[in-house]
Amino acid sequence: MQNNVFSKLYKKIRLLKNKGKEPYLSIYKITGFYPDNIQFYQEAFLHRSSSVEVQNGRWINNERLEFLGDAVLSAIVADILYKHFDHGGEGLLTNTRSKIVSRESMNEIAKNLNLHEMLHYSIHYSIIEGHNSNILGNALEALIGAIYLDKGFDHCYQFINNVMIKNINLDSLLKKEVNFKSHLIEWSQKHRIPIRFDVIENFLDEQGSPVFQSAAYLSDTEEQIGVGIGFSKKESQQKAAEMAIKKIRSDKTFMGHIREIKRKRKQPDTFVVESPAETPSSEAAASEPPQLIPEAPFAVAEITEIK
């Protein structure tokens, strides 16, 4: 008991001595509280390109803290959503959590928190735009891991709830569509219009990172209906699907073309998608006119990527 009292007193004295100094002050501006063990935070902002060798030849960077922070973040966001959507089903909760903890969302939050000013990384990396922009989102997860080790679960909850997602309208987030590929495949299954994705080009950017260009095709006619570029096959296919969905929603001439394809087809074609899906039981689905894709209330579940 006595040792615990002295430990708390020591922490207060050290805090009073250092709280006006860097990096204590910067961490306070980001999190809303001063750290007890500054080493956790210094490690959180150490990208692997600037790894530091310590005792016994071991190299340290923020990847272990990133792993820990990712798990803590997922649990806390799940708790927040469970309480907010008191009647929401598992699918709604899972999809909403996926949007909050997505790479795009984490990178954007990290930029808004100016984490790039704290991060140590190689000068060869461009972390604000392009392939390496995920470095910021990864650092944010590492920061959560550092807070967890230094302050515990309650402080992590406070940071995630009050700092990270305080400006997110969770009800509006439901309407945000992020999984265009799954949505396009769902439409193709409903209307028996075979869709496929192909990588049509891949190359290296100026930093030596792989770039992919993919296209979405109507398999019946080999007609290209969407093209996308990304730093992974998945990202490029998502962007190709997004372009295709916009075409389906807004291009009446194209939808007339789709109706003509269905009219000429005597029997539904058999086609393969990435994972087994439920086939419409009624033959009426083959004869009904295709409809413009409506705005989804939330993104459908992810489907395994085409190899």
Side-chain angles (χ1 to χ4, degrees), residues 41-307:
Y41 302 87
Q42 291 172 331
E43 185 175 330
F45 293 119
L46 189 63
H47 183 252
R48 67 181 179 182
S49 63
S50 297
S51 298
V52 174
E53 186 176 9
V54 292
Q55 295 177 349
N56 301 322
R58 187 169 69 91
W59 291 81
I60 62 170
N61 53 54
N62 65 2
E63 289 183 338
R64 283 171 52 84
L65 285 175
E66 178 191 338
F67 165 79
L68 178 61
D70 176 59
V72 174
L73 172 66
S74 182
I76 291 176
V77 171
D79 182 80
I80 293 172
L81 296 178
Y82 186 86
K83 293 174 180 176
H84 182 83
F85 298 108
D86 52 354
H87 297 295
E90 180 186 2
L92 179 149
L93 297 173
T94 299
N95 282 307
T96 307
R97 179 178 61 181
S98 296
K99 295 172 187 177
I100 293 175
V101 302
S102 68
R103 290 295 88 191
E104 178 184 0
S105 176
M106 294 294 289
N107 294 336
E108 186 65 25
I109 293 172
K111 283 196 288 186
N112 291 338
L113 292 175
N114 295 319
L115 293 195
H116 58 279
E117 296 179 358
M118 301 283 292
L119 189 62
H120 295 276
Y121 59 95
S122 169
I123 59 173
H124 298 293
Y125 283 81
S126 174
I127 65 172
I128 302 301
E129 302 293 344
H131 179 65
N132 297 311
S133 61
N134 287 346
I135 292 176
L136 287 177
N138 296 340
L140 178 55
E141 290 179 343
L143 174 60
I144 294 170
I147 295 172
Y148 177 76
L149 293 178
D150 183 40
K151 293 287 192 176
F153 184 85
D154 289 343
H155 275 73
C156 283
Y157 199 108
Q158 174 186 331
F159 172 69
I160 293 169
N161 191 44
N162 298 339
V163 178
M164 285 183 56
I165 64 176
K166 69 174 182 177
N167 295 321
I168 297 177
N169 187 319
L170 296 178
D171 297 299
S172 297
L173 189 63
L174 290 178
K175 300 177 182 179
K176 182 181 179 181
E177 186 174 29
V178 294
N179 200 335
F180 299 101
K181 183 179 175 182
S182 291
H183 200 179
L184 180 62
I185 292 175
E186 183 182 65
W187 174 87
S188 76
Q189 292 172 333
K190 178 180 179 181
H191 297 292
R192 300 177 184 270
I193 302 294
I195 297 288
R196 81 168 195 278
F197 294 85
D198 286 340
V199 176
I200 57 179
E201 184 182 8
N202 63 284
F203 54 92
L204 299 179
D205 66 7
E206 295 178 353
Q207 298 176 1
S209 300
V211 179
F212 298 87
Q213 183 178 32
S214 293
Y217 293 90
L218 296 179
S219 295
D220 276 1
T221 63
E222 295 298 311
E223 181 179 353
Q224 190 179 96
I225 61 173
V227 179
I229 295 178
F231 292 102
S232 68
K233 291 181 181 179
K234 180 178 179 180
E235 182 183 1
S236 65
Q237 290 175 355
Q238 284 283 358
K239 291 183 178 179
E242 181 179 4
M243 178 183 292
I245 287 174
K246 289 180 179 178
K247 188 180 186 72
I248 292 169
R249 285 177 176 161
S250 60
D251 192 333
K252 294 182 179 180
T253 301
F254 173 72
M255 290 310 297
H257 175 52
I258 294 295
R259 284 191 289 269
E260 183 66 16
I261 292 175
K262 293 187 68 175
R263 186 186 67 80
K264 291 181 178 180
R265 187 187 302 136
K266 295 180 180 180
Q267 293 182 348
D269 289 346
T270 301
F271 59 100
V272 178
V273 294
E274 295 94 326
S275 64
E278 182 178 351
T279 302
S281 58
S282 172
E283 292 299 325
S287 60
E288 65 176 354
Q291 302 172 356
L292 299 184
I293 296 181
E295 292 290 342
F298 52 86
V300 295
E302 176 68 8
I303 297 180
T304 307
E305 179 153 341
I306 294 176
K307 300 297 182 183

